Every structure is written in structure tokens, then in C-alpha cells.
Amino acid sequence: MQYTESADKLDQQTVDQAQALKSLMEEVEAVNYYNQRAALTPNPELKELLKHNRDEEIEHAAMLIEWLRRNMEGWDEELKTYLFTSAPLLQVETGAESGGAASSASASNLGIGSLK
Ligand SMILES: [Fe+2]
């Protein structure tokens, strides 16, 4: 593990979070590698294998994000604000910062309010 602070001074929770964050970085890097290799290879069988591997890394990244949501302050709130919305992200941010629920910003953008 690479620590930016003295590892012996970090509590176990922070060490766990550092390991999860570094792992997430590695998974995302692997997604990028596989995605580019899959795009370039002219071999169809290899392309499918690389895309399969890329998708496995996406799964691993998603699992780590969920672990972080459960175990590190800040993630739950941000993920609830931005994930699975369809409004422009800066509009979601504006809604969240003005105290409005992000879901209402995305709902109005979808025209859900007009269905009443
Ligand atoms: Fe992985």
C-alpha cells in the first residue's frame, strides 16, 4: 500500500479506506486498459475476451464504490445526489446546494411532474 501519511499513525478505519480507494483506482485503471485494447484488436475472439475482462473490472469497481458508500463518510450523500439521475449534472449540483432534493431536479427534467 502507498500511504501519503505515516501509516503507523493511521487508525484501522483509515487504513481500510486507503486500501479500498487504491483498489478502486486499480480497477478503474484496468477498465481503461481493457477498453482501449478491446477497441484496437482486430481479432474478434480476443476483442470479446478483453471486453469481458473490462466488464469484470467494472463490476469490481462498482463493488468497491458500494463498500466506500457503506464505510466512508461522504460517499453515500454524493452517490445519492448524482447516481441514476438524468438531469444535467451541474443542474443536479445546483439543486443539491440550494437544499432541493436532487431527485426533484431530475424528476422535473424528465417531465414527471407534468404527468399529474
Ligand atoms: Fe478487478
Side-chain angles (χ1 to χ4, degrees), residues 3 16-17 19 21 41 44-45 47 66 69 81 84 95:
Y3 296 101
D16 290 346
Q17 292 166 343
Q19 291 177 333
L21 288 164
T41 183
E45 184 180 13
K47 182 184 290 286
E66 176 61 10
R69 187 190 70 78
T81 299
F84 306 107

Side-chain angles (χ1 to χ4, degrees), residues 53-88:
N53 290 357
R54 175 202 61 195
D55 293 346
E56 293 272 318
E57 304 298 357
I58 292 172
E59 179 186 24
H60 300 164
M63 292 167 80
L64 284 161
I65 290 169
E66 176 61 10
W67 189 91
L68 287 163
R69 187 190 70 78
R70 297 179 188 183
N71 294 283
M72 185 175 178
E73 192 175 333
W75 288 87
D76 184 66
E77 180 182 353
E78 298 301 343
L79 294 176
K80 280 180 177 160
T81 299
Y82 292 101
L83 263 58
F84 306 107
T85 58
S86 54

Side-chain angles (χ1 to χ4, degrees), residues 2-11 14-15:
Q2 290 177 316
Y3 296 101
T4 57
E5 304 297 330
S6 300
D8 59 341
K9 294 181 181 172
L10 297 173
D11 59 73
T14 305
V15 169

